[in-house]
Amino acid sequence: MLLFKIILAPVLIGLVSLAGRRWGAGIAGWLLGLPLNSGPILLFLLLEQGPGFASDAARGSLLGILAWAAFCLTYARCCVRLPWWWSALAGWMAYFVVAFALLAVNLSAAWIFVMVSVALVAILLTFPKPPQAESRSVSQPRKELWLRMAAASVMVVTLTGVARILGPTRSGILSAFPAYTTILAVFSHLDGPAAAVSTLKGVTAGLYTAATFLLVLALSLTRLSGVLSFTLAAIAALAIQAGSLVYVRRGT
């Protein structure tokens, strides 16, 4: 089981990274909207803690999308004028402030989904426009890929290991910590602020996919088998992901 945890998420992130490199920064960000982190974590929580715990964790992950989106917007606004390290720190601060505030939210998964959907619309409307300056090409593909894959392993193993201590809601919210997004944003930022803004807008647009996936899991895990729940969640998420691609392509 530990070996499976170490391998699964990094392989998924590696494949998405290679695909994103082929089609550009906006598409790379959009691909990160797939539940590549929360999906494996919830699968392991289902196997180790049971469907009730995993369902509550899926609800927590759905809440965590708001903190994830807060990171994206904050980094995008900061990167136009600040270097990557200040932008990342500001984004992390925004994530943790919002995540802490979300602990007090006591709504059903359906209402959380509505809240997340409205918030994502507002965030996308307030995203900064990418600056017109020419980008600086800094190619570090191999280092970037290995960093993303290492972050995936560490996060999945750590969160599933401390899940019983944190509880389902905190585990779920923390599963939305933008570890992969930070790595992608920083390396895009090295190519110029325009690339970083485009990447993070793609991530934010793709979060509708993660929200749909998590909603289906939160509602179905205690009613249906784990296999059927994950299958329905994946089908619903892929349908939303296909729709969001139209928006991302128009913006890139």
Side-chain angles (χ1 to χ4, degrees):
M1 182 69 73
L2 178 61
L3 183 61
F4 190 45
K5 290 180 185 180
I6 293 172
I7 292 174
L8 178 60
V11 168
L12 292 174
I13 288 297
L15 291 174
V16 167
S17 299
L18 293 173
R21 188 175 299 146
R22 170 66 176 81
W23 288 293
I27 298 298
W30 168 76
L31 287 169
L32 275 189
L34 293 167
L36 301 174
N37 183 46
S38 55
I41 287 174
L42 290 170
L43 173 61
F44 293 126
L45 290 179
L46 172 65
L47 296 174
E48 296 175 356
Q49 308 293 343
F53 191 102
S55 176
D56 289 341
R59 175 189 168 277
S61 296
L62 188 56
L63 273 174
I65 287 177
L66 293 172
W68 187 355
F71 168 87
C72 292
L73 180 61
T74 302
Y75 192 112
R77 288 198 166 276
C78 290
C79 74
V80 178
R81 296 178 180 174
L82 298 174
W84 67 265
W85 55 88
W86 285 116
S87 301
L89 285 173
W92 289 341
M93 287 181 62
Y95 168 85
F96 282 113
V97 168
V98 173
F100 182 78
L102 291 172
L103 291 174
V105 175
N106 187 22
L107 296 173
S108 67
W111 280 112
I112 293 172
F113 179 80
V114 172
M115 182 172 65
V116 168
S117 298
V118 172
L120 289 178
V121 170
I123 288 172
L124 286 169
L125 289 175
T126 57
F127 241 81
K129 293 183 178 180
Q132 297 300 316
E134 293 186 5
S135 65
R136 303 177 299 277
S137 179
V138 178
S139 180
Q140 296 177 318
R142 198 165 292 188
K143 181 187 291 187
E144 178 186 5
L145 182 60
W146 284 109
L147 276 173
R148 293 185 202 180
M149 295 175 73
S153 284
V154 170
M155 194 161 198
V156 170
V157 172
T158 301
L159 283 177
T160 54
V162 301
R164 190 182 296 275
I165 300 173
L166 293 176
T169 299
R170 288 182 175 84
S171 297
I173 291 175
L174 199 56
S175 75
F177 180 76
Y180 315 151
T181 306
T182 300
I183 295 168
L184 187 64
V186 168
F187 279 89
S188 297
H189 197 170
L190 294 177
D191 286 333
V197 172
S198 178
T199 296
L200 291 165
K201 192 170 185 179
V203 173
T204 306
L207 290 180
Y208 282 106
T209 300
T212 302
F213 178 85
L214 294 168
L215 173 66
V216 175
L217 282 184
L219 295 177
S220 64
L221 277 173
T222 55
R223 298 174 174 87
L224 304 172
S225 69
V227 173
L228 184 55
S229 296
F230 272 87
T231 300
L232 292 174
I235 292 171
L238 289 174
I240 297 299
Q241 185 77 346
S244 67
L245 179 59
V246 177
Y247 173 85
V248 172
R249 283 190 176 277
R250 279 168 39 187
T252 56

